[in-house]
Amino acid sequence: MAQRVYNFSPGPAMMPQDVLEASARALVDFQGKGVGIAEVSHRGKEFDAVREEAEQRCRSLFAIPAAYEVLFLQGGATQQFDLIPMNFLKGYAEYVDSGQWAAKAASTAKAYGDARVIATSKADNYSHLPAGWAATAAADYLHICTNNTIFGTRCPTFPEHHTLIADMSSEIASRPIPVGRFGLIYAGAQKNLGPSGVVLVIVRKELLAKAKKVSPIFSYAEHASAQSCLNTPPTFGIYVLLETFRWLEKQGGLSGMEKLNTTKAELLYGAIDGSGGFYKGTVTSTAERSHMNVTYVLPNEDLTTAFLKEADAAGLVALKGYRSVGGIRASIYNAMPLAGVQKLVALMQDFARRKG
Ligand code: PMP
């Protein structure tokens, strides 16, 4: 195999090598049975055991209370933008617009009823989280996005609401979370949990009982009672999730992950802040800086292009920022080793010395 590069892609993103290798083996031959995991029935005992173990490990890693269901669904995080109002929007719902995905969640919900954006930081190109807002208790739910993949912000703390719904796609499993404070948490797998095609949903059971009646395939309650096998689930993706959960346990669980992620983020932000202004972070409130997506700019477009070219040649790939932010976005999800960030920082310092 060619030397693996340090892949800073925002998603689908880098996965741990152990997870890739174990999954590749299981794809060809599952436990010496002469058949791969993607070739067996989703209603058979092999996949049953995989789904069951994935759920149990997920429950233990995230410390999920028994009052919650764990679902492995399809349709990406984007489909959740529809499912949430379809199931839970009766009177009105409140949305915090902290970035492009949060805005999309809100605009999607408007097709189903009274979805209100109660705060936005769009006017500042989402360079900080919206401030000075309060949700109302009469709202069916409050929707937030806890890590804004494009703009590099994250919630340092979580707001209070009886039904707090959170898109955690780009930070799931990167730090411990107080699951009991949320009504529903969802995340596309393709950044921190495995390949695209699986969405993890953690939902309070009591909400399912109160949900609106919708066609089974759009109903959380139906998926829960069918243990995520209402129809054929993304079986191989769920297998990779299981391997990722095993790997996460070996890293010391979510608190172990948080420690490593903090070290990586501090190293990178330290290099940005210590560059004498050559590199500038795009997030204006440092407490809200994401530990997953680190966004910064260079003095001009030519230097950005030159930096990206050198990075690529050094095996540091997919660093180009999203077009509405520009500059660099280094996505340093769980699977990015400290050595990858150290190599990036060394290049940044060397580049600034030569070009600054
Ligand atoms: N929410 C967030 C925070 C995201 O980063 C993304 C994808 N980058 C999405 C939602 C959309 O996810 P999907 O492509 O799985 O629908």
Side-chain angles (χ1 to χ4, degrees):
M1 186 169 72
Q3 172 90 23
R4 279 178 68 76
V5 296
Y6 290 118
N7 174 13
F8 293 86
S9 167
M14 190 167 185
M15 286 194 243
Q17 186 140 349
D18 288 355
V19 170
L20 290 172
E21 286 174 358
S23 303
R25 281 194 298 274
L27 184 62
V28 177
D29 184 18
F30 179 61
Q31 296 179 343
K33 290 177 196 288
V35 65
I37 189 60
E39 303 172 277
V40 295
S41 168
H42 61 296
R43 309 225 180 263
K45 60 181 187 315
E46 290 87 2
F47 181 72
D48 243 12
V50 166
R51 196 212 56 80
E52 177 67 27
E53 187 185 336
E55 178 178 338
Q56 288 319 318
R57 286 187 190 269
C58 181
R59 284 186 178 278
S60 134
L61 266 170
F62 287 84
I64 299 173
Y68 285 72
E69 295 282 0
V70 174
L71 307 176
F72 304 121
L73 305 183
Q74 305 186 61
T78 303
Q79 187 161 290
Q80 298 300 309
F81 299 166
D82 288 86
L83 257 57
I84 290 160
M86 283 171 99
N87 281 263
F88 305 126
L89 177 51
K90 294 173 181 167
Y92 69 95
E94 294 180 326
Y95 282 75
V96 177
D97 175 19
S98 56
Q100 196 168 300
W101 295 110
K104 198 167 174 213
S107 69
T108 302
K110 285 184 179 153
Y112 299 96
D114 187 0
R116 305 175 186 174
V117 174
I118 57 168
T120 178
S121 49
K122 187 170 186 200
D124 294 331
N125 200 29
Y126 300 114
S127 57
H128 56 86
L129 298 176
W133 55 272
T136 56
D140 294 318
Y141 60 84
L142 167 66
H143 182 281
I144 59 169
C145 180
T146 60
N147 187 85
N148 298 284
T149 326
I150 293 172
F151 302 94
T153 55
R154 75 158 184 181
C155 298
T157 56
F158 306 114
E160 296 281 345
H161 196 268
H162 55 78
T163 308
L164 180 60
I165 296 188
D167 178 356
M168 293 198 183
S169 293
S170 50
E171 71 146 332
I172 192 82
S174 67
R175 55 172 163 167
I177 38 165
V179 174
R181 284 189 43 202
F182 293 84
L184 186 148
I185 292 165
Y186 65 100
Q190 65 268 27
K191 299 159 198 306
N192 261 343
L193 296 179
S196 59
V198 191
V199 183
L200 172 66
V201 173
I202 303 169
V203 57
R204 203 192 299 141
K205 288 177 182 167
E206 160 252 341
L207 284 179
L208 305 183
K210 298 192 304 201
K212 291 190 291 186
K213 198 108 194 88
V214 288
S215 170
I217 203 70
F218 301 129
S219 158
Y220 291 112
E222 296 280 351
H223 282 291
S225 65
Q227 296 187 303
S228 304
C229 286
L230 195 58
N231 64 328
T232 316
T235 52
F236 182 61
I238 293 170
Y239 183 79
V240 183
L241 236 68
L242 166 59
E243 288 293 355
T244 306
F245 292 146
R246 288 175 175 163
W247 178 83
L248 281 164
E249 279 166 22
K250 288 192 203 128
Q251 313 309 306
L254 301 193
S255 50
M257 233 33 272
E258 181 180 44
K259 226 160 145 193
L260 175 63
N261 287 330
T262 303
T263 304
K264 291 181 321 194
E266 282 177 354
L267 181 62
L268 191 41
Y269 286 118
I272 294 165
D273 295 340
S275 70
F278 186 80
Y279 302 106
K280 284 197 181 70
T282 65
V283 174
T284 54
S285 52
T286 50
E288 295 171 355
R289 282 171 155 181
S290 170
H291 284 197
M292 298 284 100
N293 311 100
V294 177
T295 51
Y296 56 99
V297 293
L298 282 80
N300 61 52
E301 206 49 50
D302 287 348
L303 284 169
T304 307
T305 308
F307 179 81
L308 287 167
K309 202 169 159 209
E310 287 196 24
D312 222 56
L316 305 164
V317 309
L319 280 160
K320 194 171 167 41
Y322 192 81
R323 58 186 175 277
S324 56
V325 181
I328 306 294
R329 169 174 50 175
S331 295
I332 50 172
Y333 298 119
N334 286 349
M336 174 59 66
L338 179 59
V341 178
Q342 286 167 334
K343 192 167 176 187
L344 173 61
V345 163
L347 175 68
M348 285 166 66
Q349 289 169 342
D350 181 52
F351 189 85
R353 249 192 313 273
R354 283 183 282 118
K355 312 276 184 176

